[in-house]
Amino acid sequence: MSRQEEILDGLYEHTLNGEVTPVVELTQEGLAFGMEPLTLLFDALIPALEEVGRLFEIGEYFVPEMLISARAMQGAMNILKPLIAETGAKPIGTFVMGTVKGDIHDIGKNLCNIMLEGAGFVVVDLGVNVPPDKFVAAIIEHQPQAVGMSAFLTTTMPMFKKNIEAIKEAGLRDKVKILVGGAPVTQEYAEVVGADGYAPDASSTVRLTKELIGLTESVAS
Ligand code: B12
């Protein structure tokens, strides 16, 4: 096995076991070795959290295990974030993002933010547990082209509709494109609640946002 493969394997295992110190060390070693930040993310860290979710589902992991795995991943993200987000690109728009009220999952949201920043968006992150009036206030204050709402629980997904209703009532619905996402969310659900779009991951979030606000990808490289 090459050292790169060992690093990816180690990152996966230590994230799964919630060991932040080796996760941070392996992330630094991988980068020093010339590995791409996105490779560490997509080939080790995200698969580890997917496995955490599976183990939780079958009753082998409980909330504390989920939490320490999430913290371990966060340790790596702190190092990777500036590397992924810093492109020096000119701002191409403003994106307001938040996890809906009642929900504190933020890793998926944060990942979308990093990729959006990397693509040149100014991201206003409202954090987690965001009530409808905060989304409305942020739209008024920051005048974004797009708003993203993240929900990871079937019990908090209905907040999309509440948020969209509040945005409508404030007379702002035609001012912004609304994207929804999170593990249990689907395209069908997005349509039912009246969102403009749904994306299953961070890179498609960037693609969809650009498409919705009328920014076509440049064909010239
Ligand atoms: C880590 C984790 C936690 C951590 C969260 C830490 C944190 N800071 O985020 C902690 C321990 C706190 C937690 C708590 C709970 N959790 Co939890 N958690 C998870 C876990 C394992 C991983 C989630 C994650 O971050 N994945 C990594 C990211 C990268 O995932 P991703 O989905 O691929 O993200 C992409 C897309 O979703 C999309 N996206 C995300 N947001 C947005 C927004 C927009 C606008 C767009 C366009 C796209 C988009 O882009 C992302 C990046 O590519 C999942 C399992 C799973 N399979 O999702 C359970 C899971 C979400 N949790 C679950 C549950 C039940 C809970 C608790 C209720 C447990 C409890 N009994 O207390 C609590 C609820 C707390 C609350 N009120 O929110 C269930 C939800 C079941 C359901 N369908 O409702 C899951 C699915 C586990 C399971 N299989 O049962 N959890």
Side-chain angles (χ1 to χ4, degrees):
M1 199 191 278
S2 72
R3 186 64 195 139
Q4 270 107 325
E5 283 165 338
E6 279 171 10
I7 290 172
L8 291 176
D9 272 13
L11 267 181
Y12 177 90
E13 286 300 325
H14 292 299
T15 305
L16 197 57
N17 297 332
E19 295 151 344
V20 67
T21 307
V23 167
V24 166
E25 284 168 2
L26 283 170
T27 302
Q28 280 159 344
E29 191 190 335
L31 292 172
F33 216 75
M35 294 172 79
E36 289 295 327
L38 290 180
T39 304
L40 303 178
L41 191 59
F42 289 110
D43 293 352
L45 298 165
I46 291 179
L49 270 207
E50 278 165 6
E51 178 62 5
V52 169
R54 196 189 66 80
L55 292 173
F56 179 78
E57 218 165 317
I58 62 171
E60 280 191 25
Y61 264 27
F62 298 95
V63 174
E65 285 90 352
M66 276 208 289
L67 196 57
I68 57 165
S69 288
R71 284 207 189 122
M73 168 148 179
Q74 216 79 69
M77 290 309 293
N78 293 342
I79 302 168
L80 297 177
K81 181 181 167 173
L83 302 175
I84 299 169
E86 266 170 27
T87 58
K90 259 205 284 162
I92 55 172
T94 301
F95 194 108
V96 163
M97 176 75 106
T99 296
V100 301
K101 191 174 167 196
D103 204 315
I104 59 164
H105 293 88
D106 65 358
I107 299 173
K109 164 183 79 61
N110 293 346
L111 209 52
C112 291
N113 290 349
I114 293 171
M115 300 291 269
L116 284 162
E117 280 173 11
F121 283 93
V122 173
V123 175
V124 179
D125 184 5
L126 305 179
V128 298
N129 197 17
V130 181
D133 59 336
K134 244 186 146 179
F135 277 106
V136 170
I139 295 170
I140 294 168
E141 184 183 346
H142 302 286
Q143 311 205 342
Q145 286 76 25
V147 177
M149 301 168 188
S150 184
F152 272 71
L153 300 169
T154 40
T155 49
T156 56
M157 279 163 59
M159 285 310 299
F160 291 150
K161 192 151 196 263
K162 292 232 164 77
N163 292 335
I164 293 172
E165 274 163 10
I167 292 168
K168 266 190 199 151
E169 271 166 33
L172 300 166
R173 182 62 187 94
D174 59 350
K175 301 259 188 292
V176 286
K177 295 296 178 190
I178 299 179
L179 287 85
V180 293
V185 185
T186 60
Q187 176 67 40
E188 292 69 42
Y189 193 80
E191 284 165 21
V192 168
V193 297
D196 296 305
Y198 155 80
D201 56 50
S203 30
S204 40
T205 299
V206 172
R207 225 177 12 249
L208 178 65
T209 306
K210 284 184 173 174
E211 200 182 297
L212 287 173
I213 69 173
L215 286 175
T216 40
E217 297 270 19
S218 167
V219 280
S221 56

